PDB file of all heavy atoms in Angstrom:
ATOM      1  N   LEU A 283       2.579 -14.377   2.682  1.00 82.00           N
ATOM      2  CA  LEU A 283       1.609 -15.172   2.077  1.00 82.00           C
ATOM      3  C   LEU A 283       0.541 -14.214   1.346  1.00 82.00           C
ATOM      4  O   LEU A 283      -0.446 -14.737   0.709  1.00 82.00           O
ATOM      5  CB  LEU A 283       0.758 -16.026   3.079  1.00 82.00           C
ATOM      6  CG  LEU A 283       1.584 -17.131   3.848  1.00 82.00           C
ATOM      7  CD1 LEU A 283       0.734 -17.750   4.856  1.00 82.00           C
ATOM      8  CD2 LEU A 283       2.039 -18.143   2.749  1.00 82.00           C
ATOM      9  N   MET A 284       0.742 -12.949   1.408  1.00 88.00           N
ATOM     10  CA  MET A 284      -0.106 -11.974   0.716  1.00 88.00           C
ATOM     11  C   MET A 284      -0.041 -12.170  -0.777  1.00 88.00           C
ATOM     12  O   MET A 284       1.054 -12.397  -1.283  1.00 88.00           O
ATOM     13  CB  MET A 284       0.266 -10.503   1.072  1.00 88.00           C
ATOM     14  CG  MET A 284       0.040 -10.175   2.569  1.00 88.00           C
ATOM     15  SD  MET A 284       0.481  -8.504   2.810  1.00 88.00           S
ATOM     16  CE  MET A 284      -0.768  -7.596   1.853  1.00 88.00           C
ATOM     17  N   LYS A 285      -1.103 -12.210  -1.551  1.00 92.00           N
ATOM     18  CA  LYS A 285      -1.162 -12.407  -2.901  1.00 92.00           C
ATOM     19  C   LYS A 285      -1.523 -11.229  -3.758  1.00 92.00           C
ATOM     20  O   LYS A 285      -2.444 -10.479  -3.308  1.00 92.00           O
ATOM     21  CB  LYS A 285      -2.197 -13.515  -3.252  1.00 92.00           C
ATOM     22  CG  LYS A 285      -1.782 -14.871  -2.747  1.00 92.00           C
ATOM     23  CD  LYS A 285      -2.909 -15.994  -3.113  1.00 92.00           C
ATOM     24  CE  LYS A 285      -2.482 -17.340  -2.544  1.00 92.00           C
ATOM     25  NZ  LYS A 285      -3.511 -18.372  -2.892  1.00 92.00           N
ATOM     26  N   PHE A 286      -0.718 -10.990  -4.875  1.00 93.00           N
ATOM     27  CA  PHE A 286      -0.964  -9.872  -5.674  1.00 93.00           C
ATOM     28  C   PHE A 286      -2.390  -9.936  -6.304  1.00 93.00           C
ATOM     29  O   PHE A 286      -2.883 -11.058  -6.800  1.00 93.00           O
ATOM     30  CB  PHE A 286       0.096  -9.941  -6.768  1.00 93.00           C
ATOM     31  CG  PHE A 286      -0.067  -8.823  -7.794  1.00 93.00           C
ATOM     32  CD1 PHE A 286      -0.124  -7.484  -7.472  1.00 93.00           C
ATOM     33  CD2 PHE A 286      -0.113  -9.198  -9.192  1.00 93.00           C
ATOM     34  CE1 PHE A 286      -0.199  -6.535  -8.564  1.00 93.00           C
ATOM     35  CE2 PHE A 286      -0.169  -8.132 -10.051  1.00 93.00           C
ATOM     36  CZ  PHE A 286      -0.279  -6.814  -9.838  1.00 93.00           C
ATOM     37  N   ASN A 287      -3.098  -8.882  -6.321  1.00 94.00           N
ATOM     38  CA  ASN A 287      -4.444  -8.690  -6.915  1.00 94.00           C
ATOM     39  C   ASN A 287      -5.434  -9.489  -6.090  1.00 94.00           C
ATOM     40  O   ASN A 287      -6.528  -9.801  -6.569  1.00 94.00           O
ATOM     41  CB  ASN A 287      -4.502  -9.058  -8.329  1.00 94.00           C
ATOM     42  CG  ASN A 287      -3.965  -8.058  -9.200  1.00 94.00           C
ATOM     43  OD1 ASN A 287      -3.913  -6.792  -8.780  1.00 94.00           O
ATOM     44  ND2 ASN A 287      -3.646  -8.277 -10.479  1.00 94.00           N
ATOM     45  N   HIS A 288      -5.064  -9.913  -4.876  1.00 93.00           N
ATOM     46  CA  HIS A 288      -6.009 -10.575  -3.973  1.00 93.00           C
ATOM     47  C   HIS A 288      -5.865  -9.876  -2.568  1.00 93.00           C
ATOM     48  O   HIS A 288      -7.017  -9.374  -2.156  1.00 93.00           O
ATOM     49  CB  HIS A 288      -5.725 -12.114  -3.783  1.00 93.00           C
ATOM     50  CG  HIS A 288      -6.682 -12.839  -2.902  1.00 93.00           C
ATOM     51  ND1 HIS A 288      -6.482 -12.834  -1.495  1.00 93.00           N
ATOM     52  CD2 HIS A 288      -7.871 -13.400  -3.171  1.00 93.00           C
ATOM     53  CE1 HIS A 288      -7.560 -13.502  -0.982  1.00 93.00           C
ATOM     54  NE2 HIS A 288      -8.303 -13.852  -1.990  1.00 93.00           N
ATOM     55  N   ASP A 289      -4.814  -9.818  -2.026  1.00 92.00           N
ATOM     56  CA  ASP A 289      -4.581  -9.155  -0.680  1.00 92.00           C
ATOM     57  C   ASP A 289      -4.028  -7.716  -0.876  1.00 92.00           C
ATOM     58  O   ASP A 289      -4.237  -6.841  -0.007  1.00 92.00           O
ATOM     59  CB  ASP A 289      -3.553  -9.824   0.110  1.00 92.00           C
ATOM     60  CG  ASP A 289      -4.104 -11.250   0.389  1.00 92.00           C
ATOM     61  OD1 ASP A 289      -5.094 -11.424   0.994  1.00 92.00           O
ATOM     62  OD2 ASP A 289      -3.306 -12.244  -0.004  1.00 92.00           O
ATOM     63  N   PHE A 290      -3.451  -7.345  -1.971  1.00 94.00           N
ATOM     64  CA  PHE A 290      -2.949  -6.001  -2.303  1.00 94.00           C
ATOM     65  C   PHE A 290      -3.076  -5.733  -3.798  1.00 94.00           C
ATOM     66  O   PHE A 290      -3.094  -6.693  -4.615  1.00 94.00           O
ATOM     67  CB  PHE A 290      -1.626  -5.820  -1.801  1.00 94.00           C
ATOM     68  CG  PHE A 290      -0.485  -6.414  -2.569  1.00 94.00           C
ATOM     69  CD1 PHE A 290       0.204  -5.813  -3.543  1.00 94.00           C
ATOM     70  CD2 PHE A 290      -0.255  -7.756  -2.254  1.00 94.00           C
ATOM     71  CE1 PHE A 290       1.182  -6.410  -4.243  1.00 94.00           C
ATOM     72  CE2 PHE A 290       0.758  -8.399  -2.920  1.00 94.00           C
ATOM     73  CZ  PHE A 290       1.510  -7.792  -3.927  1.00 94.00           C
ATOM     74  N   TYR A 291      -3.226  -4.497  -4.183  1.00 96.00           N
ATOM     75  CA  TYR A 291      -3.318  -4.060  -5.560  1.00 96.00           C
ATOM     76  C   TYR A 291      -2.423  -2.905  -5.843  1.00 96.00           C
ATOM     77  O   TYR A 291      -1.960  -2.195  -4.985  1.00 96.00           O
ATOM     78  CB  TYR A 291      -4.819  -3.673  -5.883  1.00 96.00           C
ATOM     79  CG  TYR A 291      -5.835  -4.649  -5.357  1.00 96.00           C
ATOM     80  CD1 TYR A 291      -6.328  -4.754  -4.122  1.00 96.00           C
ATOM     81  CD2 TYR A 291      -6.293  -5.544  -6.425  1.00 96.00           C
ATOM     82  CE1 TYR A 291      -7.235  -5.645  -3.697  1.00 96.00           C
ATOM     83  CE2 TYR A 291      -7.239  -6.601  -5.927  1.00 96.00           C
ATOM     84  CZ  TYR A 291      -7.728  -6.597  -4.628  1.00 96.00           C
ATOM     85  OH  TYR A 291      -8.506  -7.569  -4.299  1.00 96.00           O
ATOM     86  N   VAL A 292      -2.052  -2.615  -7.105  1.00 96.00           N
ATOM     87  CA  VAL A 292      -1.183  -1.733  -7.550  1.00 96.00           C
ATOM     88  C   VAL A 292      -1.800  -0.693  -8.533  1.00 96.00           C
ATOM     89  O   VAL A 292      -2.342  -1.205  -9.558  1.00 96.00           O
ATOM     90  CB  VAL A 292       0.180  -2.326  -8.114  1.00 96.00           C
ATOM     91  CG1 VAL A 292       1.089  -1.250  -8.604  1.00 96.00           C
ATOM     92  CG2 VAL A 292       0.811  -3.267  -7.098  1.00 96.00           C
ATOM     93  N   GLY A 293      -1.638   0.577  -8.193  1.00 96.00           N
ATOM     94  CA  GLY A 293      -2.013   1.578  -9.160  1.00 96.00           C
ATOM     95  C   GLY A 293      -0.724   2.376  -9.565  1.00 96.00           C
ATOM     96  O   GLY A 293       0.223   2.428  -8.873  1.00 96.00           O
ATOM     97  N   TYR A 294      -0.712   2.821 -10.833  1.00 96.00           N
ATOM     98  CA  TYR A 294       0.528   3.411 -11.326  1.00 96.00           C
ATOM     99  C   TYR A 294       0.120   4.530 -12.277  1.00 96.00           C
ATOM    100  O   TYR A 294      -0.702   4.433 -13.209  1.00 96.00           O
ATOM    101  CB  TYR A 294       1.354   2.446 -12.118  1.00 96.00           C
ATOM    102  CG  TYR A 294       2.526   2.890 -12.715  1.00 96.00           C
ATOM    103  CD1 TYR A 294       3.583   3.547 -12.082  1.00 96.00           C
ATOM    104  CD2 TYR A 294       2.649   2.928 -14.139  1.00 96.00           C
ATOM    105  CE1 TYR A 294       4.681   4.125 -12.557  1.00 96.00           C
ATOM    106  CE2 TYR A 294       3.849   3.460 -14.726  1.00 96.00           C
ATOM    107  CZ  TYR A 294       4.822   3.991 -13.898  1.00 96.00           C
ATOM    108  OH  TYR A 294       5.993   4.583 -14.497  1.00 96.00           O
ATOM    109  N   SER A 295       0.868   5.704 -12.131  1.00 95.00           N
ATOM    110  CA  SER A 295       0.793   6.903 -12.950  1.00 95.00           C
ATOM    111  C   SER A 295       2.212   7.464 -13.169  1.00 95.00           C
ATOM    112  O   SER A 295       2.814   7.858 -12.166  1.00 95.00           O
ATOM    113  CB  SER A 295      -0.135   7.935 -12.410  1.00 95.00           C
ATOM    114  OG  SER A 295      -0.124   9.084 -13.228  1.00 95.00           O
ATOM    115  N   PRO A 296       2.704   7.254 -14.283  1.00 93.00           N
ATOM    116  CA  PRO A 296       4.214   7.696 -14.519  1.00 93.00           C
ATOM    117  C   PRO A 296       4.393   9.204 -14.323  1.00 93.00           C
ATOM    118  O   PRO A 296       3.553   9.988 -14.652  1.00 93.00           O
ATOM    119  CB  PRO A 296       4.448   7.285 -15.989  1.00 93.00           C
ATOM    120  CG  PRO A 296       3.191   7.147 -16.582  1.00 93.00           C
ATOM    121  CD  PRO A 296       2.234   6.708 -15.582  1.00 93.00           C
ATOM    122  N   GLU A 297       5.597   9.505 -13.883  1.00 89.00           N
ATOM    123  CA  GLU A 297       5.837  10.932 -13.620  1.00 89.00           C
ATOM    124  C   GLU A 297       6.015  11.667 -14.867  1.00 89.00           C
ATOM    125  O   GLU A 297       6.566  11.201 -15.914  1.00 89.00           O
ATOM    126  CB  GLU A 297       7.292  10.970 -12.848  1.00 89.00           C
ATOM    127  CG  GLU A 297       7.759  12.323 -12.595  1.00 89.00           C
ATOM    128  CD  GLU A 297       8.707  12.815 -13.588  1.00 89.00           C
ATOM    129  OE1 GLU A 297       9.345  11.954 -14.309  1.00 89.00           O
ATOM    130  OE2 GLU A 297       8.864  14.054 -13.840  1.00 89.00           O
ATOM    131  N   ARG A 298       5.481  12.934 -14.971  1.00 85.00           N
ATOM    132  CA  ARG A 298       5.514  13.724 -16.151  1.00 85.00           C
ATOM    133  C   ARG A 298       5.960  15.129 -15.879  1.00 85.00           C
ATOM    134  O   ARG A 298       5.904  15.933 -16.848  1.00 85.00           O
ATOM    135  CB  ARG A 298       4.091  13.757 -16.703  1.00 85.00           C
ATOM    136  CG  ARG A 298       3.911  12.781 -17.881  1.00 85.00           C
ATOM    137  CD  ARG A 298       2.583  12.847 -18.594  1.00 85.00           C
ATOM    138  NE  ARG A 298       2.511  12.033 -19.833  1.00 85.00           N
ATOM    139  CZ  ARG A 298       1.467  11.961 -20.566  1.00 85.00           C
ATOM    140  NH1 ARG A 298       0.318  12.547 -20.223  1.00 85.00           N
ATOM    141  NH2 ARG A 298       1.514  11.266 -21.706  1.00 85.00           N
ATOM    142  N   VAL A 299       6.363  15.426 -14.747  1.00 78.00           N
ATOM    143  CA  VAL A 299       6.698  16.801 -14.384  1.00 78.00           C
ATOM    144  C   VAL A 299       7.974  17.190 -15.128  1.00 78.00           C
ATOM    145  O   VAL A 299       8.941  16.269 -15.169  1.00 78.00           O
ATOM    146  CB  VAL A 299       6.912  17.058 -12.893  1.00 78.00           C
ATOM    147  CG1 VAL A 299       7.543  18.399 -12.550  1.00 78.00           C
ATOM    148  CG2 VAL A 299       5.467  16.927 -12.178  1.00 78.00           C
ATOM    149  N   ASN A 300       8.150  18.250 -15.728  1.00 71.00           N
ATOM    150  CA  ASN A 300       9.372  18.694 -16.370  1.00 71.00           C
ATOM    151  C   ASN A 300      10.210  19.699 -15.459  1.00 71.00           C
ATOM    152  O   ASN A 300       9.801  20.912 -15.339  1.00 71.00           O
ATOM    153  CB  ASN A 300       8.957  19.366 -17.654  1.00 71.00           C
ATOM    154  CG  ASN A 300      10.163  19.668 -18.597  1.00 71.00           C
ATOM    155  OD1 ASN A 300      11.268  19.325 -18.272  1.00 71.00           O
ATOM    156  ND2 ASN A 300       9.928  20.366 -19.666  1.00 71.00           N
ATOM    157  N   PRO A 301      11.297  19.309 -14.871  1.00 67.00           N
ATOM    158  CA  PRO A 301      11.996  20.229 -13.986  1.00 67.00           C
ATOM    159  C   PRO A 301      12.402  21.491 -14.722  1.00 67.00           C
ATOM    160  O   PRO A 301      12.858  21.526 -15.899  1.00 67.00           O
ATOM    161  CB  PRO A 301      13.208  19.313 -13.629  1.00 67.00           C
ATOM    162  CG  PRO A 301      12.890  17.944 -13.845  1.00 67.00           C
ATOM    163  CD  PRO A 301      11.819  17.979 -15.005  1.00 67.00           C
ATOM    164  N   GLY A 302      12.179  22.633 -13.994  1.00 63.00           N
ATOM    165  CA  GLY A 302      12.645  23.860 -14.491  1.00 63.00           C
ATOM    166  C   GLY A 302      11.550  24.541 -15.358  1.00 63.00           C
ATOM    167  O   GLY A 302      11.682  25.572 -15.831  1.00 63.00           O
ATOM    168  N   ASN A 303      10.485  23.819 -15.649  1.00 65.00           N
ATOM    169  CA  ASN A 303       9.373  24.271 -16.479  1.00 65.00           C
ATOM    170  C   ASN A 303       8.212  24.689 -15.621  1.00 65.00           C
ATOM    171  O   ASN A 303       7.426  23.785 -15.195  1.00 65.00           O
ATOM    172  CB  ASN A 303       8.914  23.237 -17.523  1.00 65.00           C
ATOM    173  CG  ASN A 303       8.007  23.691 -18.635  1.00 65.00           C
ATOM    174  OD1 ASN A 303       7.277  24.691 -18.369  1.00 65.00           O
ATOM    175  ND2 ASN A 303       8.111  23.175 -19.698  1.00 65.00           N
ATOM    176  N   SER A 304       8.045  25.934 -15.386  1.00 67.00           N
ATOM    177  CA  SER A 304       6.927  26.431 -14.518  1.00 67.00           C
ATOM    178  C   SER A 304       5.636  26.393 -15.149  1.00 67.00           C
ATOM    179  O   SER A 304       4.551  26.436 -14.518  1.00 67.00           O
ATOM    180  CB  SER A 304       7.280  27.835 -13.984  1.00 67.00           C
ATOM    181  OG  SER A 304       7.496  28.799 -15.002  1.00 67.00           O
ATOM    182  N   ALA A 305       5.607  26.437 -16.494  1.00 68.00           N
ATOM    183  CA  ALA A 305       4.375  26.425 -17.305  1.00 68.00           C
ATOM    184  C   ALA A 305       3.580  25.125 -17.217  1.00 68.00           C
ATOM    185  O   ALA A 305       2.286  25.072 -17.377  1.00 68.00           O
ATOM    186  CB  ALA A 305       4.624  26.933 -18.710  1.00 68.00           C
ATOM    187  N   HIS A 306       4.346  24.047 -16.937  1.00 68.00           N
ATOM    188  CA  HIS A 306       3.709  22.708 -16.919  1.00 68.00           C
ATOM    189  C   HIS A 306       3.904  22.072 -15.516  1.00 68.00           C
ATOM    190  O   HIS A 306       4.869  21.303 -15.322  1.00 68.00           O
ATOM    191  CB  HIS A 306       4.285  21.826 -18.049  1.00 68.00           C
ATOM    192  CG  HIS A 306       4.043  22.352 -19.372  1.00 68.00           C
ATOM    193  ND1 HIS A 306       4.880  23.128 -20.103  1.00 68.00           N
ATOM    194  CD2 HIS A 306       2.847  22.056 -20.168  1.00 68.00           C
ATOM    195  CE1 HIS A 306       4.301  23.330 -21.294  1.00 68.00           C
ATOM    196  NE2 HIS A 306       3.091  22.818 -21.321  1.00 68.00           N
ATOM    197  N   SER A 307       3.196  22.461 -14.590  1.00 72.00           N
ATOM    198  CA  SER A 307       3.233  21.939 -13.182  1.00 72.00           C
ATOM    199  C   SER A 307       2.275  20.665 -13.092  1.00 72.00           C
ATOM    200  O   SER A 307       1.485  20.455 -14.089  1.00 72.00           O
ATOM    201  CB  SER A 307       2.808  23.058 -12.231  1.00 72.00           C
ATOM    202  OG  SER A 307       1.550  23.589 -12.525  1.00 72.00           O
ATOM    203  N   ILE A 308       2.292  20.095 -12.060  1.00 77.00           N
ATOM    204  CA  ILE A 308       1.626  18.803 -11.922  1.00 77.00           C
ATOM    205  C   ILE A 308       0.105  18.898 -12.211  1.00 77.00           C
ATOM    206  O   ILE A 308      -0.497  18.054 -12.805  1.00 77.00           O
ATOM    207  CB  ILE A 308       1.906  18.089 -10.609  1.00 77.00           C
ATOM    208  CG1 ILE A 308       1.400  16.629 -10.643  1.00 77.00           C
ATOM    209  CG2 ILE A 308       1.349  18.863  -9.368  1.00 77.00           C
ATOM    210  CD1 ILE A 308       1.862  15.888  -9.466  1.00 77.00           C
ATOM    211  N   GLU A 309      -0.454  19.964 -11.720  1.00 77.00           N
ATOM    212  CA  GLU A 309      -1.878  20.130 -11.764  1.00 77.00           C
ATOM    213  C   GLU A 309      -2.409  20.392 -13.216  1.00 77.00           C
ATOM    214  O   GLU A 309      -3.593  20.056 -13.500  1.00 77.00           O
ATOM    215  CB  GLU A 309      -2.451  21.103 -10.888  1.00 77.00           C
ATOM    216  CG  GLU A 309      -2.016  22.622 -11.157  1.00 77.00           C
ATOM    217  CD  GLU A 309      -0.694  22.987 -10.531  1.00 77.00           C
ATOM    218  OE1 GLU A 309      -0.054  22.145  -9.948  1.00 77.00           O
ATOM    219  OE2 GLU A 309      -0.315  24.127 -10.588  1.00 77.00           O
ATOM    220  N   ASN A 310      -1.484  20.910 -14.099  1.00 83.00           N
ATOM    221  CA  ASN A 310      -1.992  21.100 -15.466  1.00 83.00           C
ATOM    222  C   ASN A 310      -1.351  20.275 -16.500  1.00 83.00           C
ATOM    223  O   ASN A 310      -1.231  20.641 -17.763  1.00 83.00           O
ATOM    224  CB  ASN A 310      -1.916  22.594 -15.780  1.00 83.00           C
ATOM    225  CG  ASN A 310      -0.495  23.121 -15.709  1.00 83.00           C
ATOM    226  OD1 ASN A 310       0.407  22.342 -15.792  1.00 83.00           O
ATOM    227  ND2 ASN A 310      -0.310  24.471 -15.463  1.00 83.00           N
ATOM    228  N   ILE A 311      -0.876  19.104 -16.062  1.00 88.00           N
ATOM    229  CA  ILE A 311      -0.356  18.123 -16.945  1.00 88.00           C
ATOM    230  C   ILE A 311      -1.271  16.897 -16.987  1.00 88.00           C
ATOM    231  O   ILE A 311      -1.642  16.399 -15.986  1.00 88.00           O
ATOM    232  CB  ILE A 311       1.049  17.553 -16.505  1.00 88.00           C
ATOM    233  CG1 ILE A 311       2.092  18.749 -16.614  1.00 88.00           C
ATOM    234  CG2 ILE A 311       1.531  16.381 -17.401  1.00 88.00           C
ATOM    235  CD1 ILE A 311       3.423  18.344 -15.989  1.00 88.00           C
ATOM    236  N   CYS A 312      -1.739  16.526 -18.234  1.00 93.00           N
ATOM    237  CA  CYS A 312      -2.512  15.297 -18.242  1.00 93.00           C
ATOM    238  C   CYS A 312      -1.710  14.096 -17.792  1.00 93.00           C
ATOM    239  O   CYS A 312      -0.683  13.855 -18.297  1.00 93.00           O
ATOM    240  CB  CYS A 312      -2.952  15.061 -19.730  1.00 93.00           C
ATOM    241  SG  CYS A 312      -3.964  13.622 -19.987  1.00 93.00           S
ATOM    242  N   LYS A 313      -2.364  13.387 -16.867  1.00 94.00           N
ATOM    243  CA  LYS A 313      -1.636  12.114 -16.304  1.00 94.00           C
ATOM    244  C   LYS A 313      -2.181  10.820 -16.814  1.00 94.00           C
ATOM    245  O   LYS A 313      -3.299  10.632 -16.971  1.00 94.00           O
ATOM    246  CB  LYS A 313      -1.805  12.102 -14.736  1.00 94.00           C
ATOM    247  CG  LYS A 313      -1.047  13.249 -14.075  1.00 94.00           C
ATOM    248  CD  LYS A 313       0.374  12.937 -13.945  1.00 94.00           C
ATOM    249  CE  LYS A 313       0.634  11.975 -12.839  1.00 94.00           C
ATOM    250  NZ  LYS A 313       2.020  11.680 -12.699  1.00 94.00           N
ATOM    251  N   ILE A 314      -1.184   9.981 -17.218  1.00 96.00           N
ATOM    252  CA  ILE A 314      -1.613   8.583 -17.601  1.00 96.00           C
ATOM    253  C   ILE A 314      -1.805   7.848 -16.322  1.00 96.00           C
ATOM    254  O   ILE A 314      -1.094   7.853 -15.377  1.00 96.00           O
ATOM    255  CB  ILE A 314      -0.518   7.917 -18.413  1.00 96.00           C
ATOM    256  CG1 ILE A 314      -0.223   8.734 -19.716  1.00 96.00           C
ATOM    257  CG2 ILE A 314      -0.798   6.531 -18.646  1.00 96.00           C
ATOM    258  CD1 ILE A 314       0.999   8.273 -20.482  1.00 96.00           C
ATOM    259  N   THR A 315      -3.073   7.092 -16.297  1.00 97.00           N
ATOM    260  CA  THR A 315      -3.332   6.345 -15.126  1.00 97.00           C
ATOM    261  C   THR A 315      -3.533   4.892 -15.446  1.00 97.00           C
ATOM    262  O   THR A 315      -3.926   4.434 -16.535  1.00 97.00           O
ATOM    263  CB  THR A 315      -4.606   6.833 -14.343  1.00 97.00           C
ATOM    264  OG1 THR A 315      -5.709   6.701 -15.273  1.00 97.00           O
ATOM    265  CG2 THR A 315      -4.438   8.278 -14.003  1.00 97.00           C
ATOM    266  N   SER A 316      -3.201   4.080 -14.515  1.00 97.00           N
ATOM    267  CA  SER A 316      -3.390   2.558 -14.745  1.00 97.00           C
ATOM    268  C   SER A 316      -3.533   1.849 -13.439  1.00 97.00           C
ATOM    269  O   SER A 316      -3.145   2.378 -12.332  1.00 97.00           O
ATOM    270  CB  SER A 316      -2.197   1.991 -15.529  1.00 97.00           C
ATOM    271  OG  SER A 316      -0.972   2.073 -14.814  1.00 97.00           O
ATOM    272  N   GLY A 317      -3.837   0.508 -13.489  1.00 97.00           N
ATOM    273  CA  GLY A 317      -3.979  -0.311 -12.226  1.00 97.00           C
ATOM    274  C   GLY A 317      -3.860  -1.744 -12.570  1.00 97.00           C
ATOM    275  O   GLY A 317      -3.990  -2.143 -13.711  1.00 97.00           O
ATOM    276  N   SER A 318      -3.537  -2.507 -11.593  1.00 97.00           N
ATOM    277  CA  SER A 318      -3.346  -3.900 -11.731  1.00 97.00           C
ATOM    278  C   SER A 318      -4.619  -4.685 -11.858  1.00 97.00           C
ATOM    279  O   SER A 318      -4.727  -5.774 -12.356  1.00 97.00           O
ATOM    280  CB  SER A 318      -2.646  -4.567 -10.534  1.00 97.00           C
ATOM    281  OG  SER A 318      -3.254  -4.284  -9.342  1.00 97.00           O
ATOM    282  N   THR A 319      -5.858  -3.993 -11.537  1.00 97.00           N
ATOM    283  CA  THR A 319      -7.155  -4.534 -11.919  1.00 97.00           C
ATOM    284  C   THR A 319      -7.970  -3.372 -12.406  1.00 97.00           C
ATOM    285  O   THR A 319      -7.716  -2.300 -12.176  1.00 97.00           O
ATOM    286  CB  THR A 319      -7.766  -5.220 -10.589  1.00 97.00           C
ATOM    287  OG1 THR A 319      -8.067  -4.042  -9.671  1.00 97.00           O
ATOM    288  CG2 THR A 319      -6.858  -6.245  -9.999  1.00 97.00           C
ATOM    289  N   PRO A 320      -9.012  -3.766 -13.150  1.00 97.00           N
ATOM    290  CA  PRO A 320      -9.909  -2.616 -13.597  1.00 97.00           C
ATOM    291  C   PRO A 320     -10.439  -1.695 -12.431  1.00 97.00           C
ATOM    292  O   PRO A 320     -10.514  -0.533 -12.617  1.00 97.00           O
ATOM    293  CB  PRO A 320     -11.129  -3.450 -14.213  1.00 97.00           C
ATOM    294  CG  PRO A 320     -10.452  -4.675 -14.731  1.00 97.00           C
ATOM    295  CD  PRO A 320      -9.499  -5.065 -13.636  1.00 97.00           C
ATOM    296  N   ALA A 321     -10.777  -2.309 -11.246  1.00 97.00           N
ATOM    297  CA  ALA A 321     -11.256  -1.525 -10.160  1.00 97.00           C
ATOM    298  C   ALA A 321     -10.189  -0.651  -9.652  1.00 97.00           C
ATOM    299  O   ALA A 321     -10.476   0.558  -9.304  1.00 97.00           O
ATOM    300  CB  ALA A 321     -11.809  -2.499  -9.040  1.00 97.00           C
TER     301      ALA A 321
END
């Protein structure tokens, strides 16, 4: 009976790590962020 955006919410950031590329690790890659509600 749990309702989306009422009882639970979803946040999403697509993966951007490039395997084998040590110059672009997760901490120095700009990440796209999003969520199912503004909050």
Side-chain angles (χ1 to χ4, degrees):
L283 295 176
M284 293 179 67
K285 294 182 180 180
F286 176 56
N287 281 342
H288 182 269
D289 300 301
F290 72 96
Y291 306 87
V292 176
Y294 176 63
S295 177
E297 177 267 334
R298 264 186 166 175
V299 171
N300 188 8
N303 188 333
S304 58
H306 295 91
S307 55
I308 189 169
E309 66 272 9
N310 57 26
I311 297 176
C312 179
K313 289 282 283 178
I314 296 172
T315 61
S316 63
S318 58
T319 66

